[in-house]
Amino acid sequence: MKKELYMLRVGMLTSGGDCQALNATMRGVAKSLYKSDKEVEITGFLNGYRGLMYGEYRVMKPSDFSGILTTGGTMLGTSRQPFKLMREPDENGMDKVEAMKATYNKLKLDCLVVLGGNGSQKTANLLSEEGLNVVGLPKTIDNDIYGTDMTFGFQSAVEIATNAIDCIHTTAASHSRVFIVEVMGHKVGWLTLYAGLAGGADIILIPEIPYDIKKIADAIRLREADGKRFTILAVAEGAISKEDAALSKKELKKKRLKNAGRYPSISYEIGDILSGETGVEVRVTVPGHTQRGGTPNPFDRALSTRLGAHGAELILKKQYGRLVVLRGTEVTDILLSESAGKLKYVDPESTLVNEARLVGISFGDR
């Protein structure tokens, strides 16, 4: 079929923290667009929204999207541009939103594709409300974007965090100790919950279920009474005690600043207190940013390809202001405004949490 003379111009950026399947998702968008009956020009903005603000970009070639399905990170680079600062001028007094709109219009873009998490999609929705054609793709290892059952990057991160717990199991079997594996997740516990389940953790602590340190100590003693020589805790970096959960934001911030010099993270605080409560040695392992890195696993490669293809379909149909999502096993889309500003939390009363309790996992709350 002969291609139309009209040039379809699409901008693309990756924003926020990196993850394993960003390149795979961009590939899904690009390959689908190139296979259409349109002449397509894709412009990649460098380092997230910063590239859109300051006109830092490069025109991509079809070859740029070859051989990147298995490559982690993002070939465009990324940066964090907090949504709450988007309406504030930069250090030179530049209006960030107007600058992004100016770049978009200067390049005569038909659509902007935003691959990012909650903050990035809030900005995508803002630009959509400002009159730009935007399509969002849900990226985050935290799996906390409202409206989608799964985000790309999540399953790859689960695999890495689970492997860390698996590795701890082999040394745990040799020592009578308590081992803590700290998993990423400041506000939600999806990653810790899934990795804890998959890795056979005995105790899982997530932000949505405030813990009682004495209940955790009781769970450890119960295992000792049953002849278990070790205990493994999967702890989200945002895990919080019942006492701290009852504090105001101001009080909590003050307490954390006070403890910052003593404890590098919550896991070390929990470990220190548990040592005193149980008399057992506690060791802490923090996989950290390894959870964002490496090659995307097969699930994420397939999901990213599907999400990217659907995003391209929205562009070709001129259906903008949408966020591509996974519902059950089907890829579909919702309004950006339906998701923007909302987090998808773990429900403490969900069947998932209940099933974990049924197999004997403690959440440190009862």
Side-chain angles (χ1 to χ4, degrees):
M1 183 182 293
K2 186 177 181 180
K3 292 196 173 185
E4 297 178 6
L5 294 177
Y6 176 77
M7 176 71 76
L8 177 65
R9 293 183 170 87
V10 176
M12 194 179 294
L13 63 84
T14 57
S15 176
D18 67 318
C19 75
Q20 296 88 341
L22 280 163
N23 288 324
T25 311
M26 287 189 281
R27 172 184 176 273
V29 176
K31 289 181 75 70
S32 300
L33 290 176
Y34 289 140
K35 290 292 183 180
S36 72
D37 62 352
K38 307 283 187 181
E39 287 287 349
V40 177
E41 179 181 86
I42 298 177
T43 297
F45 292 100
L46 308 181
N47 302 314
Y49 283 113
R50 179 180 178 82
L52 186 60
M53 290 175 194
Y54 298 103
E56 299 167 354
Y57 59 86
R58 63 187 177 98
V59 177
M60 313 294 284
K61 303 186 295 290
S63 59
D64 291 323
F65 298 96
S66 296
I68 62 171
L69 179 63
T70 61
T71 305
T74 164
M75 62 179 174
L76 294 179
T78 187
S79 66
R80 295 187 184 278
Q81 300 290 327
F83 175 77
K84 63 182 179 181
L85 300 179
M86 278 298 176
R87 287 294 189 183
E88 295 184 12
D90 72 355
E91 60 273 16
N92 297 314
M94 182 189 76
D95 186 314
K96 299 171 186 173
V97 175
E98 289 303 316
M100 289 189 285
K101 289 164 61 178
T103 301
Y104 178 100
N105 291 323
K106 176 184 176 182
L107 296 176
K108 299 180 180 178
L109 298 181
D110 293 287
C111 180
L112 175 68
V113 178
V114 175
L115 297 85
N118 281 287
S120 301
Q121 299 304 338
K122 284 171 71 175
T123 299
N125 183 58
L126 168 64
L127 293 176
S128 177
E129 292 175 340
E130 288 286 323
L132 305 191
N133 297 330
V134 182
V135 168
L137 292 165
K139 176 274 321 174
T140 173
I141 66 169
D142 294 323
N143 195 38
D144 61 355
I145 293 181
Y146 184 86
T148 184
D149 291 342
M150 198 74 66
T151 57
F152 66 85
F154 174 64
Q155 288 291 349
S156 295
V158 168
E159 193 169 295
I160 294 169
T162 301
N163 182 62
I165 297 172
D166 288 346
C167 290
I168 289 300
H169 257 109
T170 62
T171 190
S174 305
H175 298 275
S176 298
R177 292 175 180 164
V178 172
F179 291 82
I180 297 176
V181 179
E182 184 175 289
V183 181
M184 281 185 160
H186 279 293
K187 296 181 179 179
V188 301
W190 292 107
L191 182 53
T192 306
L193 179 53
Y194 271 80
L197 279 168
D202 308 297
I203 299 169
I204 297 175
L205 305 182
I206 60 176
E208 294 91 337
I209 305 178
Y211 64 82
D212 180 335
I213 199 71
K214 294 189 180 299
K215 298 295 183 183
I216 299 173
D218 288 343
I220 293 170
R221 294 191 191 99
L222 184 60
R223 283 180 55 78
E224 290 176 341
D226 287 342
K228 306 295 175 60
R229 300 179 64 242
F230 66 88
T231 299
I232 295 178
L233 287 78
V235 177
E237 58 187 343
I240 187 169
S241 68
K242 289 184 177 181
E243 293 79 10
D244 286 355
L247 297 175
S248 66
K249 286 186 178 181
K250 185 176 181 180
E251 291 170 331
L252 182 59
K253 183 178 180 180
K254 183 178 180 181
K255 180 180 178 181
R256 286 178 172 172
L257 285 173
K258 181 180 178 181
N259 288 341
R262 186 178 180 189
Y263 302 118
S265 67
I266 188 63
S267 292
Y268 290 93
E269 180 179 350
I270 292 171
D272 187 31
I273 298 173
L274 282 179
S275 291
E277 286 280 340
T278 64
V280 178
E281 282 189 81
V282 180
R283 294 289 183 270
V284 177
T285 297
V286 184
H289 284 79
T290 62
Q291 293 162 89
R292 292 188 180 280
T295 299
N297 68 7
F299 181 95
D300 271 336
R301 295 180 209 175
L303 177 62
S304 293
T305 301
R306 295 179 65 198
L307 294 172
H310 191 89
E313 187 175 31
L314 290 177
I315 295 169
L316 293 170
K317 291 181 177 180
K318 298 183 179 181
Q319 296 176 357
Y320 307 122
R322 313 291 296 181
L323 175 69
V324 182
V325 299
L326 180 71
R327 294 282 178 88
T329 59
E330 298 300 314
V331 173
T332 183
D333 53 88
I334 61 176
L335 289 170
L336 276 168
S337 58
E338 185 180 332
S339 176
K342 301 176 185 177
L343 283 177
K344 183 182 69 181
Y345 294 100
V346 174
D347 179 0
E349 303 301 324
S350 66
T351 56
L352 179 59
V353 171
N354 183 57
E355 288 151 2
R357 293 189 193 276
L358 286 173
V359 298
I361 294 173
S362 169
F363 286 87
D365 62 326
R366 57 173 83 162

